[in-house]
Amino acid sequence: MGDNQNAIEIQIWCALIGVLLLTVIHSYNKSKMAFSNVATLIRIHMAGYISLKDLLALHNQKKERGKKPSANPDLFTPS
């Protein structure tokens, strides 16, 4: 890491590109996961072999399984 003007400009551009990519991934995700959670999930699984699309889909499936059923289920409608 340099500390001259050119090195600092390159670091700023890299950070902006990273935030732009995270924003695109966050908007691609259909769940209402917070931006920081998406960034953390990607950071943790950066060295993994699972694709990002599959990782987010797996996370969304786990979140759906954890939802509580409604208090008044309709017993006469087929599911």
Side-chain angles (χ1 to χ4, degrees), residues 58-69:
L58 180 65
H59 180 66
N60 292 338
Q61 286 175 356
K62 285 183 178 180
K63 199 169 189 176
E64 289 294 322
R65 277 193 309 217
K67 285 188 176 179
K68 294 180 181 178

Side-chain angles (χ1 to χ4, degrees), residues 33-79:
M33 192 184 323
F35 180 81
S36 61
N37 290 344
V38 172
T40 301
L41 190 66
I42 292 170
R43 179 182 54 85
I44 291 171
H45 288 47
M46 187 70 79
Y49 293 106
I50 188 170
S51 74
L52 189 57
K53 183 178 177 182
D54 294 339
L55 177 67
L56 291 173
L58 180 65
H59 180 66
N60 292 338
Q61 286 175 356
K62 285 183 178 180
K63 199 169 189 176
E64 289 294 322
R65 277 193 309 217
K67 285 188 176 179
K68 294 180 181 178
S70 62
N72 299 321
D74 188 5
L75 300 176
F76 301 106
T77 335
S79 52

Side-chain angles (χ1 to χ4, degrees), residues 1 5-6 32:
M1 295 282 180
Q5 181 179 356
N6 191 34
K32 296 180 180 180

